[in-house]
Amino acid sequence: MGFLDFVHERWSVLSFLAYQHLSLVVQTLAAATLLAIVLGVLAYRSRWGTAAAQALSSVGLTLPSYALLGLLVGVVGIGVLPSVIALVFFGFLPILRNVIVGLTGVDQALVESARGMGMGRMATLVRLELPLAWPVIMTGVRVSGQMLMGIAAIAAYVLGPGLGGYIFSGISRTGGANATYSIVAGTVGIILLAVVLDLVLNLLTRATTSRGIRV
């Protein structure tokens, strides 16, 4: 049996696992983005808040995903919940860093001009600062999305949903029938999903960025 025959025979299973994988990544990425924007907005005006957010992002990204998943299993058990918590945590960190960088990089002369025209702090944030910082924030979202595609595969270690289960199944049967095909099918599927997600996020970035600051 060739690889294409293997994929054809198991297409219904692979497509369902791919849907689960993409759904897990998209939903956790959305949650991570919302959380990062809220905390970033609360922190960026404070020097200490900015330093704490940057430190959290730097230190958090050094934590091995296997280690976090192992800790979560002891607290919440196996399955979807530890997978979601781990992905939101890791997805949140790069986005938080970019929210801070984007907001602190806004020209303060523009902010002062807006305040001088009578705009309140919230109006200035929503109508000026966030739109100017948006391309930087979305760069963080795209980086996070690609990272979560790989971490979602590792989540199969705790019986999380997605294509990672096919990869782990192949590894556990190394040397057996179709073991290599299982690993390759899962890996290629994740790569294709990562490419599609990045294209969608790129289009979303352009669609939601003000025309005057598009590159």
Side-chain angles (χ1 to χ4, degrees), residues 14 49 51 98 114 187:
L14 286 169
N98 278 43
T187 303

Side-chain angles (χ1 to χ4, degrees), residues 4 11 16 18 28 36 44-45 77 83-84 89 91 101 115 119 129 131 133 149 159 169 172 176 180-181 183 195:
L4 294 180
W11 178 251
F16 178 69
T28 53
Y44 86 103
R45 291 183 183 275
S83 305
V84 169
F89 174 77
V101 170
R115 299 296 295 275
M119 293 176 63
E129 293 176 282
M149 278 292 176
L159 301 184
S169 173
S172 69
T180 301
Y181 289 164
I183 298 171
V195 171

Side-chain angles (χ1 to χ4, degrees), residues 119-168:
M119 293 176 63
R121 174 171 292 188
M122 182 59 67
T124 302
L125 173 68
V126 173
R127 297 176 61 183
L128 177 66
E129 293 176 282
L130 278 176
L132 290 176
W134 191 244
V136 178
I137 295 172
M138 286 303 296
T139 298
V141 174
R142 291 177 65 186
V143 169
S144 182
Q146 298 305 296
M147 184 176 69
L148 291 187
M149 278 292 176
I151 296 176
I154 297 174
Y157 171 69
V158 295
L159 301 184
L163 288 166
Y166 238 63
I167 298 175
F168 276 84

Side-chain angles (χ1 to χ4, degrees), residues 22-88:
L22 183 61
S23 177
L24 175 64
V25 170
V26 169
Q27 292 183 62
T28 53
L29 181 63
T33 301
L34 180 60
L35 181 61
I37 290 175
V38 171
L39 292 184
V41 165
L42 292 175
Y44 86 103
R45 291 183 183 275
S46 164
R47 184 178 64 181
W48 295 108
T50 298
Q54 296 284 26
L56 173 63
S57 179
S58 298
V59 173
L61 287 173
T62 66
L63 181 66
S65 52
Y66 263 123
L68 179 59
L69 286 167
L71 290 173
L72 289 172
V73 166
V75 177
V76 299
I78 61 176
V80 175
L81 185 56
S83 305
V84 169
I85 294 174
L87 264 67
V88 170

